[in-house]
Amino acid sequence: MSPENHSFRSVRASSAARALNVIGDRWTLLALYAAFRGVSRFDGFVAHTGMARSLLTDRLGRLEGAGILERRPYQERPVRHGYHLTAKGLDLFAAALMILRWDQKRGEAPSDPAHRVMHRTCGCELVAELTCKACGEAVTARNTTVAPGPGAGLDPAPGPRAQRRSIVEGEGGVPPVAERAIAVLGDRWTSHLVAAAFYGLRRFADLQAELGAASNILSDRLARLTALGVLDRVRYQERPERWEYRLTDEGRELFPLLVTLMAWGDRWLAGPQGAPEVLTHGPCGQPLEAVVTCAACGGVVGPETTVLA
């Protein structure tokens, strides 16, 4: 069966993949970015994202249909509605902070006001960390293991999207400091490739079997992630020449983001069967319950304890 035929394909069940199927689109991420900055009115979303009105209407409708945004009237004549984050939408705050953390770790434009968040508890500019609630130690790819959970199994492979991915850097109102994060997360194949890399998959055939991507699509996205510094292309065989793709140090820094997306998917998308995967934190040996903390004071961070600078 061709990898391009998704009609009967199944992929490994993953809460992170389910989350990315909901929000892992460039324009959806842009709309969420604006919503977390307090934008609620349609014209405000246009101004902040640079989206065409028809495209914005589509993405706001998808987010409303997913229960992440809800419409609330703010004017009667004529009737006008604003778009506000629901509890499900606000629960993506940890993932948003992990995107910010990835940019900060790379040291790009730390003074950009679009990326400055203050922690009210201690008054310091927030540097977010993902830590284990049980032991307080950092959560990393090297000290965390994954095993099948009660909801382990297969999910239907997502079908092709109606819109082609955007490959134009700086397009659509994203601050330059966030552009590479959007480039990784805002395309279904690149984001799922990163997740597959954390499962230890490195070789082209293994990645293709995991994702069901057509060869040309997989080659393109692997090249893109290599150019972005997320993957390294390493030769493992000379005759015939064969290559594998390994996460770089920068790529491994995306792991806390994957953990927050997995936790969000467990809470909102897992269903009665439970989580497809269970993470264990090596330093304490406990099932991982991750929390976002402030590097300055160690306090737990949430929407109610932060403010834009």
Side-chain angles (χ1 to χ4, degrees), residues 68-86:
I68 292 170
L69 294 179
E70 64 181 2
R71 287 194 300 166
R72 302 175 193 164
Y74 66 85
Q75 179 179 302
E76 291 185 0
R77 296 182 182 177
V79 176
R80 305 278 189 211
H81 291 86
Y83 293 84
H84 300 267
L85 289 161
T86 63

Side-chain angles (χ1 to χ4, degrees), residues 88-111:
K88 185 176 181 180
L90 285 169
D91 198 32
L92 285 164
F93 187 68
L97 289 180
M98 289 302 99
I99 293 175
L100 170 59
R101 173 189 177 276
W102 194 55
D103 287 327
Q104 289 173 326
K105 289 283 185 180
R106 288 167 33 238
E108 295 189 10
S111 61

Side-chain angles (χ1 to χ4, degrees), residues 223-256:
R224 185 163 178 79
L225 287 171
T226 301
L228 287 166
V230 174
L231 296 177
D232 266 339
R233 186 171 181 255
V234 180
R235 186 169 58 189
Y236 69 89
Q237 180 178 299
E238 292 189 4
R239 296 183 181 179
E241 197 171 54
R242 295 285 187 267
W243 302 82
E244 64 184 17
Y245 297 85
R246 302 176 183 175
L247 285 162
T248 63
D249 289 341
E250 186 172 324
R252 280 187 286 272
E253 289 290 349
L254 283 165
F255 184 71

Side-chain angles (χ1 to χ4, degrees), residues 67 200-201 243 258 285 307:
L201 301 175
W243 302 82
L258 267 292
V307 63

